């Protein structure tokens, strides 16, 4: 969006961008605990009938979906690590 267009809108575009940015930050913080909870529930409750069809042996409890949820939780941990780092430096 050009500066002329945003100036004519009375700052609405700037506010809309700020709201979108806050929503994205909130989603970034929600991803890690959500995936960690999904990994915990899948590990405790099991994957259901589909998990027994997809895996031949359940020797290691971190097979399949549990491992995937843990990896996704680790990959999305950056906002939490930044927050922890900022609080320690302050």
């Amino acid at each position: 969006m050009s500066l002329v267009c945003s100036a004519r809108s009375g700052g609405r575009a700037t506010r809309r961008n700020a709201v979108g940015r806050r929503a994205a930050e909130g989603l970034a913080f929600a991803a890690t605990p959500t995936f960690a909870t999904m990994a915990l529930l899948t590990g405790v409750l099991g994957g259901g009938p589909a998990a027994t069809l997809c895996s031949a042996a359940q020797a290691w409890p971190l097979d399949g979906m549990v491992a995937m949820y843990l990896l996704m939780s680790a990959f999305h941990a950056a906002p939490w690590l930044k927050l922890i780092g900022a609080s320690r430096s302050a």
Side-chain angles (χ1 to χ4, degrees):
M1 180 182 295
S2 69
L3 292 175
V4 174
C5 183
S6 64
R8 277 192 237 152
S9 67
R12 284 180 284 179
T14 305
R15 279 182 262 140
R16 189 172 39 231
N17 288 340
V19 170
R21 195 174 304 115
R22 281 192 298 255
E25 288 172 0
L27 287 174
F29 279 107
T32 297
T34 301
F35 287 129
T37 303
M38 291 169 67
L40 179 67
L41 290 175
T42 304
V44 170
L45 300 176
T52 56
L53 290 174
C54 296
S55 63
Q58 293 286 335
W60 195 50
L62 296 179
D63 286 340
M65 295 303 288
V66 176
M68 183 196 69
Y69 289 141
L70 288 174
L71 282 172
M72 290 173 70
S73 180
F75 290 149
H76 288 87
W80 287 100
L81 296 175
K82 287 179 187 177
L83 182 68
I84 292 168
S87 67
R88 286 189 178 209
S89 65

